């Protein structure tokens, strides 16, 4: 078989193989370095930041709920309703944003994409899809209430997963998500986090100018 393969080709294959072996040793060291909590922006440092945020939250919310239990007696909780009477609701708190239809699997808009809570229109449009090992689907979402994107590069009030952003508003932050909905956050201190229980989002401030948003 040796005489069927040109010498130059064999030399090139051997050279590439040697290069890959050398690269493997270097990559092994770099991957191991990701576990070092002292290395900036490493996975180990991120885990330490998360652990610190959890410990800080538990220290602030570690107290339990106090109850009074009388010795020798059975405590009962009672609630007496209005015996079938209907009350009049004079005031309802207005909605501040569109709900997440995927969370409770409920219909939140009309068949023409008009949201019940806000009266805003939302439309998704896919411009193109690129197949491959890492497929790319370029889908834009239009939201009529997304005035923060009036001058966006993909069109007024259109947003994509590649154009989401944080805006500084007063002393807090507003995150504009890819579905056109916006979520308010308080600006946490460095190495602390803020959790949005409704959207199941955790915002971590890694440094003065670096934020990490975790979903789930």
């Amino acid at each position: 078989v040796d005489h069927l393969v040109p010498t130059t080709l064999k030399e090139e294959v051997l050279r590439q193989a040697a290069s890959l072996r050398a690269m493997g040793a270097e990559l092994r060291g770099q991957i191991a370095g990701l576990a070092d909590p002292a290395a900036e922006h490493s996975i180990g440092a991120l885990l330490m930041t998360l652990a610190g945020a959890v410990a800080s939250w538990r220290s602030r919310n570690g107290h339990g709920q106090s109850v009074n239990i009388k010795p020798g007696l059975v405590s009962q909780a009672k609630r007496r309703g209005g015996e079938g009477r209907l009350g009049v609701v004079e005031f309802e708190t207005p909605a501040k944003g569109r709900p997440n239809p995927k969370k409770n699997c409920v219909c939140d808009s009309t068949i023409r994409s008009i949201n019940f809570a806000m009266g805003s229109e939302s439309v998704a449009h896919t411009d193109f899809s690129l197949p491959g090992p890492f497929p790319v689907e370029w889908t834009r979402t239009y939201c009529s209430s997304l005035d923060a994107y009036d001058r966006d590069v993909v069109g007024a009030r259109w947003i994509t997963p590649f154009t989401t952003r944080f805006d500084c508003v007063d002393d807090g932050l507003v995150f504009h998500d890819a579905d056109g909905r916006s979520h308010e956050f308080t600006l946490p201190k460095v190495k602390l986090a803020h959790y949005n229980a409704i959207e199941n989002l955790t915002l971590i401030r890694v440094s003065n100018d670096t934020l990490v948003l975790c979903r789930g």
Side-chain angles (χ1 to χ4, degrees), residues 98-106 108 179 181 199:
R98 293 160 46 209
N100 185 357
K102 297 180 180 179
K103 185 173 183 180
N104 297 319
C105 299
V106 296
D108 68 330
D179 59 359
R181 299 184 304 128
E199 298 296 333

Side-chain angles (χ1 to χ4, degrees), residues 68-76:
N68 293 324
I69 300 177
K70 299 179 181 180
L73 298 176
V74 177
S75 299
Q76 295 181 353

Side-chain angles (χ1 to χ4, degrees), residues 133-145:
F134 301 98
V136 175
E137 185 175 85
W138 186 271
T139 299
R140 293 181 295 159
T141 299
Y142 171 80
C143 183
S144 61
S145 60

